[in-house]
Amino acid sequence: MPTTEEPTDPRDLLRGGLPDRYLTPEDLVTMFSLPSVETVYQWRRKRIGPTGFRVGRYLRFNPTAVRAWEAERTALDDAA
């Protein structure tokens, strides 16, 4: 009977569903040529930007969610 070996590193268990790196507000500033990080925080307060989450006091964004938000915004602009 063949045995399947379970990964010993917990990160290997998570790799399938999680990105290698979550984005920071500074990353969004660079990606979208925003004036400042405050713009990202304003989007969050107004609930108009990509969905983010807190890790302690740090704000992080899933790259997939940012891509989906960008695609949605692009589609809305194209339809207008």
Side-chain angles (χ1 to χ4, degrees), residues 37-49:
V37 175
E38 185 57 33
T39 302
V40 177
Y41 288 106
Q42 285 178 13
W43 286 354
R44 184 165 167 80
R45 281 191 297 274
K46 294 176 182 178
R47 298 174 191 245
I48 60 173

Side-chain angles (χ1 to χ4, degrees), residues 7-63:
T8 55
D9 186 349
R11 292 174 293 187
D12 290 339
L13 293 172
L14 298 175
R15 264 291 173 239
L18 295 175
D20 288 334
R21 180 177 173 279
Y22 287 99
L23 301 173
T24 65
E26 291 81 7
D27 292 330
L28 295 186
V29 168
T30 302
M31 288 172 64
F32 298 114
S33 300
L34 301 173
S36 73
V37 175
E38 185 57 33
T39 302
V40 177
Y41 288 106
Q42 285 178 13
W43 286 354
R44 184 165 167 80
R45 281 191 297 274
K46 294 176 182 178
R47 298 174 191 245
I48 60 173
T51 305
F53 61 96
R54 289 249 174 227
V55 179
R57 66 180 188 157
Y58 302 103
L59 182 59
R60 295 294 181 258
F61 298 89
N62 186 325

